[in-house]
Amino acid sequence: QVQLVESGGGSVQAGGSLRLSCVASGYRVTNYCMGWFRQAPGKEREGVAIIDSSSTTMHADAVKGRFTISQDNAKNTLYLHMNSLKPEDTAVYYCAAASRSRCFGFDAYNYRYWGQGTQVTVSS
């Protein structure tokens, strides 16, 4: 049974940093495509960053240069390093995992497993 458990969310001021973690069980994070998505109140879920089994990454334009997705094979953990946070980054952040080694973009339909989400709140 695959489980994804996120942590690391919280409240920060604009310009601050956070690191989100997603610990996987029943699933090897480095063998498949994984990603981070977010959903703000009243908005649709959107892709933030994805990484495939070759460690090739893709970041959404809204976070490019500020956020970095990475993974730790030994800890079987996916990370999202978030710097220079803005109030518009406020959302629930979700870890997602696909059943394929390659990623096919930010379409949520491509991701089979989801974590419960962690809240990130950025104040101005």
Side-chain angles (χ1 to χ4, degrees):
Q1 184 178 357
V2 176
Q3 277 193 315
L4 303 174
V5 179
E6 303 103 331
S7 62
S11 297
V12 297
Q13 289 192 327
S17 299
L18 285 173
R19 187 186 74 168
L20 304 184
S21 299
C22 172
V23 179
S25 58
Y27 186 93
R28 294 302 306 176
V29 300
T30 53
N31 287 354
Y32 300 95
C33 169
M34 294 195 71
W36 288 97
F37 291 73
R38 66 185 182 185
Q39 188 167 18
K43 294 188 176 181
E44 292 191 355
R45 189 171 297 190
E46 63 175 357
V48 176
I50 54 179
I51 184 168
D52 69 12
S53 62
S54 301
S55 298
T56 300
T57 63
M58 180 184 299
H59 295 80
D61 288 343
V63 306
K64 209 169 283 185
R66 300 187 299 121
F67 292 10
T68 303
I69 189 171
S70 67
Q71 55 197 25
D72 185 321
N73 185 38
K75 296 182 178 180
N76 206 33
T77 300
L78 181 75
Y79 298 103
L80 184 67
H81 307 262
M82 305 187 295
N83 298 317
S84 303
L85 282 160
K86 304 176 181 180
E88 50 263 45
D89 295 320
T90 295
V92 177
Y93 283 72
Y94 298 90
C95 171
S99 299
R100 304 171 178 174
S101 59
R102 287 182 59 199
C103 292
F104 292 89
F106 291 123
D107 189 342
Y109 178 80
N110 291 319
Y111 297 84
R112 181 176 180 182
Y113 306 105
W114 293 82
Q116 82 287 350
T118 185
Q119 176 71 46
V120 171
T121 303
V122 185
S123 58
S124 57

